[in-house]
Amino acid sequence: MNNSKITAALLAVLLTTAIFTSCKSTGQSSTSTSTAEVDSSKLPDLKGDDNISRATRFYAGISKEGIEMPQNDAEAWDKYSKEINRLLNTSKKTTVMVDSLARNDFKDFRDKIDLVFYPFSGADFPYPITIFPNADTYILCGLEKPGTPISTDIKTNYTHYQSYRKALVSFLRLSYFITKDMKNDLNNDEIDGTCPIISMLMATSGYDIISIENMSIDENGKLIPGEGKGNVMQYKFFKRGSKHEQTLIYVSADVEDKRVDPNVMKYFDTSLKGHTVASYLKAASYLMHQSNFSRIKNCIVDNSQYIVQDDSGVPYKYLTDKFDITLYGVYKRPLPCFTSACLQPDLDQAYKDYGDKVKPLPFHIGYNSPSNWLCARRKATK
C-alpha cells in the first residue's frame, strides 16, 4: 500500500473514532430531543419582561429597587424580605439535596427529558425544575384556578405582599401545598390563583419570565388563546444567563374520572406523545389509589418513560410489570388522615426484599418523615 493510501486509511479510522467518541460522550442517541445537543452560542439572547420581573422580584422579597413607597411601607417590606428569605433558605436546603441526588442517580436519563408531567402539582415550580432543569416543557395540573397574571401595578402596602408569605409558608416548610389552605390563600383580593405564586417562585429560583398568556383547550386537545377566560396559563421563561427558552403550562382541572373535561384528557394524551416524558408526583393525596382516578393514572403509566414519586402517587402494583424500580428512603404507613386503603403491602414488602439495595434519601419530601421516593425506568421493549 502506498503512502497516500495509508494516510487516507488512517484519516478514515480517526474520523470514525471521533464520531463514535462524540456520540458516546453525550450519553444520548441521535434521536434525543435534549437541549444539551443545541449549540447555545448560535441561539438568540433572551430577555424577560421588565415589568413582570420588577413585580415578581418585589413580591419575592428580592428587590424593591426603583419602587417608590412611604418609609413605613419600605420598612415593612424589609421585614417581609427577611421573613420570606428565611423560609426560602429552609426550602433551598432541600432542593440542593434533591438536585445532588438527581445529578448522581438520574444521570442516565435526566438530560434526555424534554417534557415533565406533574399532576396534582398546585403551584409547585421549584421541585420539577430542580429534578429536570433542562426540559423544554413542563405541564402542571391542579384543582386551583390559574387566576390572573401577577399585577405589574405594584401594591406597596404590607397587607398585600404579606398574602404571598401566607400562601407560601406551608410549601416552603413542608415541600408541598396543602389543598384546603390553598382554597383561601389563592382566592382573595390579593392573590386569585396559582399564577402569581408560580411567577414568584420562578423569580426566587433564578428564572426570568418572557410572557404569561391565558389559554384554553379546544375539542381537539389543542391550546388556543383563552382571552382571559381560559383554565390554562402558559409561561415562557428562561434561567437567568441561559439561552434556553422553556415553557410551563398550568392546567386547572379536576381529573376525577367522572368530572374531568374530555378536552383536558385529550390535551394530556396528545401532548405527551412523541416526547421523552418524566412524570413527577408528590403529596398527591393517594387519589390514584382510588378507582375513580383511573384515567389520569393510566395516562401517566402509558405515556411516561420515567416516573419519580413518593408513595402517594401511582400505586406500586401498576408499575412493576412495565418499569424497573429503584427505591429510596423508608416506607411507612400513610398519615392517619388517609384511610387504610392507601397502605401498600406490596410496596412495604418490596422495601423489605430490596434490603441493602434501598438507597438512602437524605431529605424530607412529601407527607411522611422519614420519607420515601421511587424512580421507575420503563423496561426495554422485547
Side-chain angles (χ1 to χ4, degrees), residues 49 52 115 125 136-140 145-150 194-196 198-199 202 208-217 221-228 230-238 245-252 267 271:
D49 183 293
I52 294 176
L115 190 150
F125 171 80
D136 295 321
T137 305
Y138 302 79
I139 299 177
L140 277 58
K145 62 184 180 179
T148 54
I150 192 166
T194 60
C195 188
I198 290 174
S199 303
M202 284 183 171
D208 284 333
I209 297 171
I210 299 169
S211 64
I212 305 174
E213 185 177 4
N214 182 253
M215 308 292 283
S216 293
I217 302 172
K222 302 295 184 183
L223 287 181
I224 58 173
E227 300 178 351
N231 64 326
V232 178
M233 201 66 79
Q234 176 177 271
Y235 306 73
K236 298 291 184 180
F237 68 99
F238 65 97
E245 182 178 312
Q246 297 169 285
T247 301
L248 184 145
I249 297 162
Y250 175 82
V251 181
S252 174
Y267 170 69
S271 296

Side-chain angles (χ1 to χ4, degrees), residues 190-354:
E190 283 77 31
I191 301 173
D192 64 350
T194 60
C195 188
I197 299 301
I198 290 174
S199 303
M200 177 182 169
L201 289 171
M202 284 183 171
T204 61
S205 301
Y207 289 81
D208 284 333
I209 297 171
I210 299 169
S211 64
I212 305 174
E213 185 177 4
N214 182 253
M215 308 292 283
S216 293
I217 302 172
D218 68 14
E219 64 275 9
N220 298 312
K222 302 295 184 183
L223 287 181
I224 58 173
E227 300 178 351
K229 300 177 181 179
N231 64 326
V232 178
M233 201 66 79
Q234 176 177 271
Y235 306 73
K236 298 291 184 180
F237 68 99
F238 65 97
K239 181 76 171 178
R240 212 161 293 141
S242 162
K243 294 186 176 184
H244 179 201
E245 182 178 312
Q246 297 169 285
T247 301
L248 184 145
I249 297 162
Y250 175 82
V251 181
S252 174
D254 187 337
V255 294
E256 185 179 1
D257 290 350
K258 65 181 180 181
R259 296 178 183 272
V260 65
D261 184 335
N263 295 351
V264 169
M265 286 309 305
K266 188 174 289 186
Y267 170 69
F268 291 156
D269 287 330
T270 57
S271 296
L272 303 185
K273 301 294 184 189
H275 292 277
T276 304
V277 177
S279 287
Y280 179 58
L281 296 154
K282 170 169 58 67
S285 299
Y286 301 91
L287 292 175
M288 288 177 290
H289 293 238
Q290 304 171 27
S291 60
N292 53 332
F293 284 86
S294 61
R295 294 184 67 182
I296 189 67
K297 177 197 69 188
N298 292 338
C299 178
I300 294 167
V301 173
D302 293 344
N303 292 296
S304 303
Q305 284 73 51
Y306 305 91
I307 299 173
V308 177
Q309 65 170 38
D310 62 22
D311 66 300
S312 72
V314 176
Y316 180 73
K317 63 184 177 182
Y318 295 107
L319 301 176
T320 52
D321 288 344
K322 297 181 178 180
F323 295 87
D324 292 319
I325 309 294
T326 304
L327 299 177
Y328 294 83
V330 177
Y331 178 69
K332 295 176 62 178
R333 289 186 66 89
L335 298 177
C337 57
F338 298 107
T339 69
S340 58
C342 302
L343 182 65
Q344 300 183 72
D346 52 350
L347 180 57
D348 182 48
Q349 187 60 49
Y351 267 84
K352 294 173 181 175
D353 292 343
Y354 275 52

Side-chain angles (χ1 to χ4, degrees), residues 4 11 15 129 154 189 192 204 252 314 327 349 368:
S4 62
L11 286 172
L15 181 59
I129 201 72
I154 296 171
D189 292 339
D192 64 350
T204 61
S252 174
V314 176
L327 299 177
Q349 187 60 49
N368 270 326

